[in-house]
Amino acid sequence: MGTLWYGGRIYTLENEGETVQAVLTKDGQIVATGNTEFLKREYDGEITEEHNLKGYTMIPGLVDSHMHLIGHGEKLLRLDFSKIKSSAEMLESLKIRAGKVPEGQWIIGEGWNENQLEDNKILHRTELDEVAPNHPVLLKRICRHALIANSKALQLANISKETIDPVGGVIVRDVDDHPTGYLLDKAQEMILNIAPFPTLEEIQYALETSIKDCYKKGLVGGHTEDLSYYGSLENTLNAYYNVGNKGLKFRSHLLVHHQIVDEFQQRKREAHKFIEYGAMKIFADGALGGRTALLSFPYKDDPTTSGVAIHTKEDLEDLIKTARGFEMEVAVHAIGDLAFEWILELIEKHPPKKGQHDRLIHAQILRPELIEKTKSLPIILDIQPRFVASDFPWVIERIGEDYLKSCYAWKTLIEAGIPCAGGSDAPIEPVDPLLGIYAAITRSSDYENSGKSYLPEQKLSVFEAVELYTKGSAYAIHKENKRGMIKTGFTADFTVFDQDVFTLEAEQLLQTNVVMTIVDDDIMYKRGR
């Protein structure tokens, strides 16, 4: 029957600061909101369970609008370099792992970032060879648009001095033209395609691990792109259905990579309450870390390049036309301004059908005229506030001061009326939405303790930042009339904190804990339980 939630500060998010005393839920839906005693009288006999929030703060359930759910689980299970501070420490961790793994077995690491290392060093394959000579080694950069491989892995992939760079990728070479082991964007696939794909059981375990961690961070769902990376669309989908059928309620909205869209369209898919399908995913460019984001100008710290186009503009047009043939929206990774410009032009030329909108993911390096044009198109932007914390200050040298005014411009985008949703891009960034909210309101760097804000005029209020992960994520998938607010008729998905996030000083957000995560009226996580 009905469940009454009361005794805390309950923010509806319908309007800024709006609260209610109590919420009545039934069968996964919000039946009524209002005064506690009134609801008890009005629904006397229907309330079979009560939850006293004990003064805690409840908001609509947080949803990550752009992540890689299985990839997040893999990062939790693999060698993780995301907090390592030196290349020597990376090598030592690799050496220890090599001593525990049978010879010949692949060693895969995640999350290294030369910008956070004391020596800013990108390791050479020969350095990996010294500590792991008997294992193929694959170390994925934090952005997942670059990796380092050792000599054994390069040999297995037949990558040598004579190997030609693939379209949309770069094999970085030393002064003698030998591969260094550093591979950018599409060149990564030469290694990824010969590394062993995980089994169904391994995919499922990573997915379960990921979802359980998301609960702890207050997430009730995520928009994720996983379907083309694990060797078999069948295995990946089966993992989602198996986990969903085990009672792990998590609202998974799956994007469909263009490489498997034909197979996906031909596959019969059973309906599932917690598995939804969305837009066709396309990568237009790479990332700023490896200088593969496609810019309209040369990189300030390397004028020999303006980035990498993953596809030609003509091929991008064909991909968008393919999506339209399936009556699908597109979700396009576009970090650089030229990549963004191309996609705007192509969406204008090939718009989605009435009632649909496309998603542009990241939208970091922009120009004022691109923002103005976006306003007139059926587009929502999937932004990652946390990128400010991890990209500054090094991105200033990469892009140059002159180009930064319209970059990472979250406030400008929102004030322009452009719909925005908030995500982490986990495992690239930490999945914790509070870290994204903190980054959105402080715009400070992880690399400094100075308190400096970068482009402070782009700071969001806490309300605006929370909206990204609630109303914004709901709007992105056409669920704005069902999710993202605490309102009659909406889903009974809630996140409960031990502090009132709307009244805290910014630094206190980092000491705030998730007390409960509720999905479909069920408590999926309770702190201390």
Side-chain angles (χ1 to χ4, degrees):
M1 298 290 284
T3 302
L4 186 69
W5 306 83
Y6 70 100
R9 195 157 180 81
I10 302 173
Y11 285 93
T12 69
L13 259 65
E14 279 200 74
N15 299 292
E16 186 169 2
E18 183 177 297
T19 61
V20 293
Q21 283 189 358
V23 179
L24 180 67
T25 60
K26 181 180 178 181
D27 298 328
Q29 299 291 313
I30 297 172
V31 175
T33 67
N35 176 273
T36 306
E37 295 308 316
F38 172 79
L39 292 181
K40 285 184 176 182
R41 289 195 308 270
E42 187 75 8
Y43 293 91
D44 182 40
E46 294 185 43
I47 298 172
T48 56
E49 190 173 359
E50 295 185 8
H51 290 287
N52 187 335
L53 296 171
K54 300 178 181 178
Y56 294 139
T57 296
M58 186 164 85
I59 66 171
L62 297 169
V63 175
D64 192 310
S65 73
H66 180 67
M67 66 184 307
H68 306 272
L69 195 55
I70 296 172
H72 175 58
E74 288 180 314
K75 182 178 180 180
L76 293 172
L77 297 169
R78 287 176 174 170
L79 198 57
D80 181 8
F81 297 122
S82 60
K83 291 182 171 59
I84 277 179
K85 299 300 183 185
S86 71
S87 57
E89 192 179 346
M90 276 183 68
L91 290 170
E92 182 62 25
S93 297
L94 180 57
K95 183 178 180 179
I96 292 170
R97 179 60 62 93
K100 298 177 180 178
V101 175
E103 287 190 12
Q105 185 171 316
W106 281 74
I107 297 176
I108 300 176
E110 301 270 359
W112 64 271
N113 179 2
E114 77 280 5
N115 295 301
Q116 75 182 23
L117 303 181
E118 295 166 356
D119 50 7
N120 299 121
K121 184 176 183 179
I122 297 172
L123 292 170
H124 193 279
R125 61 177 167 79
T126 55
E127 294 174 285
L128 306 186
D129 296 343
E130 289 179 14
V131 296
N134 302 313
H135 304 81
V137 175
L138 158 58
L139 307 181
K140 299 180 181 181
R141 193 183 183 280
I142 188 171
C143 61
R144 286 201 169 189
H145 285 266
L147 62 79
I148 310 170
N150 70 346
S151 295
K152 188 170 284 292
L154 294 175
Q155 290 164 7
L156 290 171
N158 295 316
I159 298 174
S160 66
K161 183 177 181 179
E162 288 72 35
T163 305
I164 299 170
D165 287 359
V167 175
V170 177
I171 301 170
V172 179
R173 305 167 193 272
D174 59 24
V175 291
D176 298 319
D177 216 27
H178 291 286
T180 66
Y182 188 36
L183 307 179
L184 308 179
D185 279 291
K186 298 293 278 187
Q188 296 179 101
E189 294 180 7
M190 304 170 77
I191 296 288
L192 296 174
N193 288 339
I194 58 99
F197 289 111
T199 63
L200 171 60
E201 290 73 21
E202 289 169 333
I203 298 171
Q204 189 169 311
Y205 183 55
L207 183 56
E208 288 183 34
T209 301
S210 180
I211 289 173
K212 289 175 181 177
D213 187 62
C214 286
Y215 289 152
K216 293 178 182 178
K217 306 301 192 297
L219 290 167
V220 303
H223 308 170
T224 179
E225 201 255 302
D226 300 299
L227 296 183
S228 68
Y229 303 123
Y230 300 100
S232 164
L233 172 63
E234 192 76 17
N235 270 0
T236 310
L237 286 177
N238 284 340
Y240 270 95
Y241 282 101
N242 291 346
V243 170
N245 291 334
K246 288 177 69 173
L248 287 181
K249 294 183 175 183
F250 189 81
R251 299 195 188 277
S252 300
H253 182 89
L254 310 183
L255 301 182
V256 183
H257 195 286
H258 73 85
Q259 290 181 328
I260 50 94
V261 71
D262 290 320
E263 181 185 358
F264 173 82
Q265 290 291 343
Q266 294 166 15
R267 186 188 190 275
K268 186 177 180 181
R269 298 179 298 280
E270 61 183 285
H272 195 288
K273 186 174 183 178
F274 297 99
I275 300 171
E276 304 161 349
Y277 301 101
M280 187 175 96
K281 174 69 181 291
I282 304 169
F283 284 86
D285 66 347
L288 293 165
R291 299 182 187 84
T292 55
L294 187 63
L295 307 177
S296 63
F297 52 91
Y299 278 86
K300 184 78 171 179
D301 59 354
D302 184 0
T304 66
T305 183
S306 297
V308 173
I310 301 298
H311 306 280
T312 65
K313 192 173 181 180
E314 292 72 25
D315 287 344
L316 283 173
E317 183 170 13
D318 288 340
L319 289 171
I320 290 175
K321 288 164 68 175
T322 296
R324 301 307 189 224
F326 291 124
E327 296 191 340
M328 293 179 75
E329 300 168 334
V330 293
V332 188
H333 167 114
I335 289 180
D337 67 318
L338 185 56
F340 197 92
E341 179 181 336
W342 284 4
I343 298 302
L344 289 186
E345 291 176 6
L346 294 174
I347 288 174
E348 187 174 39
K349 187 175 179 180
H350 304 286
K353 70 177 186 179
K354 187 176 180 180
Q356 290 186 330
H357 56 233
D358 294 318
R359 306 174 68 164
L360 267 64
I361 301 168
H362 306 314
Q364 285 161 257
I365 310 302
L366 300 179
R367 306 191 306 271
E369 63 268 27
L370 298 180
I371 295 173
E372 190 63 28
K373 187 170 185 177
T374 301
K375 289 165 55 177
S376 66
L377 295 173
I379 285 171
I380 182 169
L381 302 181
D382 287 322
I383 61 174
Q384 291 69 49
R386 172 80 186 161
F387 281 180
V388 174
S390 53
D391 289 3
F392 283 87
W394 61 263
V395 74
I396 300 173
E397 293 182 4
R398 194 140 300 177
I399 302 299
E401 291 272 8
D402 294 342
Y403 290 100
L404 275 178
K405 290 182 181 178
S406 299
C407 300
Y408 303 80
W410 319 142
K411 188 77 168 183
T412 296
L413 296 172
I414 290 171
E415 289 184 342
I418 298 170
C420 294
S424 65
D425 205 10
I428 281 72
E429 296 290 338
V431 78
D432 189 345
L434 280 177
L435 293 179
I437 292 165
Y438 176 80
I441 66 174
T442 65
R443 297 187 66 92
S444 58
S445 170
D446 271 1
Y447 305 112
E448 301 171 329
N449 294 313
S450 64
K452 180 178 180 179
S453 293
Y454 289 92
L455 303 174
E457 67 276 11
Q458 298 295 341
K459 287 181 180 181
L460 301 185
S461 68
V462 178
F463 181 72
E464 289 171 326
V466 171
E467 280 189 306
L468 294 174
Y469 297 86
T470 50
K471 294 156 81 172
S473 293
Y475 181 87
I477 58 172
H478 305 281
K479 300 290 185 182
E480 64 269 26
N481 295 319
K482 295 181 179 180
R483 301 176 192 169
M485 290 186 283
I486 295 178
K487 184 177 180 180
T488 300
F490 279 53
T491 53
D493 299 343
F494 313 119
T495 302
V496 181
F497 294 111
D498 63 357
Q499 301 189 77
D500 185 339
V501 295
F502 295 104
T503 61
L504 297 175
E505 295 295 326
E507 297 304 317
Q508 292 176 289
L509 282 173
L510 302 180
Q511 280 76 52
T512 298
N513 298 298
V514 174
V515 177
M516 284 190 288
T517 301
I518 298 111
V519 185
D520 193 46
D521 220 2
D522 277 349
I523 299 174
M524 303 309 300
Y525 168 76
K526 190 171 186 178
R527 190 166 184 248
R529 187 174 70 181

